[in-house]
Amino acid sequence: MGSRNWHGSVQAVSCEHGQLALVSGHFDMDSLHQTMTQCRREGRISASRGNECPIVARSGAWLSTTLTELAGWNAGILNLDGGTIIVAHAQGTSVTMLPVNIRAGGGTLMFDRGMKNGGSLLVDLKRMCDSHATLKLVFEGHERQFAAYDPMMDMTLVGQAPASDTIEGWVALRLDGNPWQIACPTAMKGTPMPQLRREWQANGQPHVTLHLPG
């Protein structure tokens, strides 16, 4: 299936095994919904699944969405397999949970600068099948970003310290284990005990980039 979108790029999708794979081109949520409707009409996606149909962004495919659009996504799961997902901030008061599976091709997750006093996004990242899949996390408009490892829960939080409700920006990510091998305790103001924490700086760039090691 192919069509041309507002970016001028040719969109290519594949509907198989109950999932919608974005093969190439730029997609927004409107074009994504239109594609899903067409696949349901053709019987390639179950009509009863609605927005719960898994979406796979493959190499050469970009999906742009906003926090408000994700809030109405109905627990649909996004999968990265070499593609790029861009999330823009939107004003609101809700906290949106977004599961993202990282497949063998890895990919890129990008977040704009957003507003601290608006809605928040909590992303649950899972590596699927291949523990060596690499991922690039890009935080636009940030001078710094950090990750903190919680050995009690064996998980790493990016942008949010363990046992804290404060998010550095408007998005926080959760990952299993300690992928960056954070081992040095750091004393933090306002926390009772030192934290296993690592910080990244923008170093003059308009964004902070974290590379999740494979």
Side-chain angles (χ1 to χ4, degrees):
M1 182 187 302
S3 64
R4 189 171 295 276
N5 70 351
W6 59 276
H7 284 282
S9 62
V10 175
Q11 296 173 331
V13 300
S14 173
C15 305
E16 53 192 31
H17 308 300
Q19 69 181 16
L20 178 64
L22 311 181
V23 179
S24 65
H26 289 79
F27 296 81
D28 57 18
M29 293 302 279
D30 286 340
S31 62
L32 182 60
H33 283 300
Q34 291 172 12
T35 301
M36 292 174 64
T37 298
Q38 184 174 347
C39 287
R40 283 196 294 267
R41 189 163 50 239
E42 296 172 353
R44 293 193 283 174
I45 292 178
S46 172
S48 63
R49 300 192 67 178
N51 288 343
E52 294 183 3
C53 171
I55 306 298
V56 183
R58 293 185 176 161
S59 179
W62 294 62
L63 173 61
S64 298
T65 182
T66 68
L67 182 60
T68 302
E69 290 170 331
L70 287 174
W73 181 238
N74 192 26
I77 295 178
L78 297 177
N79 298 266
L80 267 176
D81 195 7
T84 299
I85 296 175
I86 306 170
V87 184
H89 186 262
Q91 289 297 323
T93 58
S94 63
V95 176
T96 300
M97 297 290 296
L98 178 66
V100 177
N101 295 330
I102 310 303
R103 298 192 178 182
T108 301
L109 273 173
M110 301 178 65
F111 308 95
D112 73 1
R113 74 183 299 121
M115 302 288 292
K116 279 192 176 184
N117 57 353
S120 299
L121 178 66
L122 302 181
V123 181
D124 187 18
L125 288 176
K126 297 286 187 183
R127 276 178 164 150
M128 308 299 291
C129 303
D130 187 348
S131 61
H132 299 291
T134 58
L135 177 70
K136 184 164 69 172
L137 304 171
V138 181
F139 298 86
E140 296 284 350
H142 281 247
E143 294 183 359
R144 67 187 183 100
Q145 188 55 278
F146 65 88
Y149 175 61
D150 185 344
M152 296 290 291
M153 300 296 293
D154 189 27
M155 68 178 184
T156 298
L157 296 172
V158 178
Q160 183 177 14
S164 171
D165 293 329
T166 302
I167 297 176
E168 183 65 30
W170 61 277
V171 57
L173 299 93
R174 177 197 178 280
L175 306 96
D176 291 329
N178 186 9
W180 285 288
Q181 299 299 311
I182 303 171
C184 298
T186 302
M188 301 300 301
K189 182 179 179 180
T191 57
M193 298 180 62
Q195 294 180 352
L196 298 176
R197 176 173 164 134
R198 177 178 172 180
E199 185 171 299
W200 290 260
Q201 301 286 338
N203 295 323
Q205 298 297 313
H207 50 260
V208 176
T209 300
L210 283 63
H211 295 271
L212 183 65

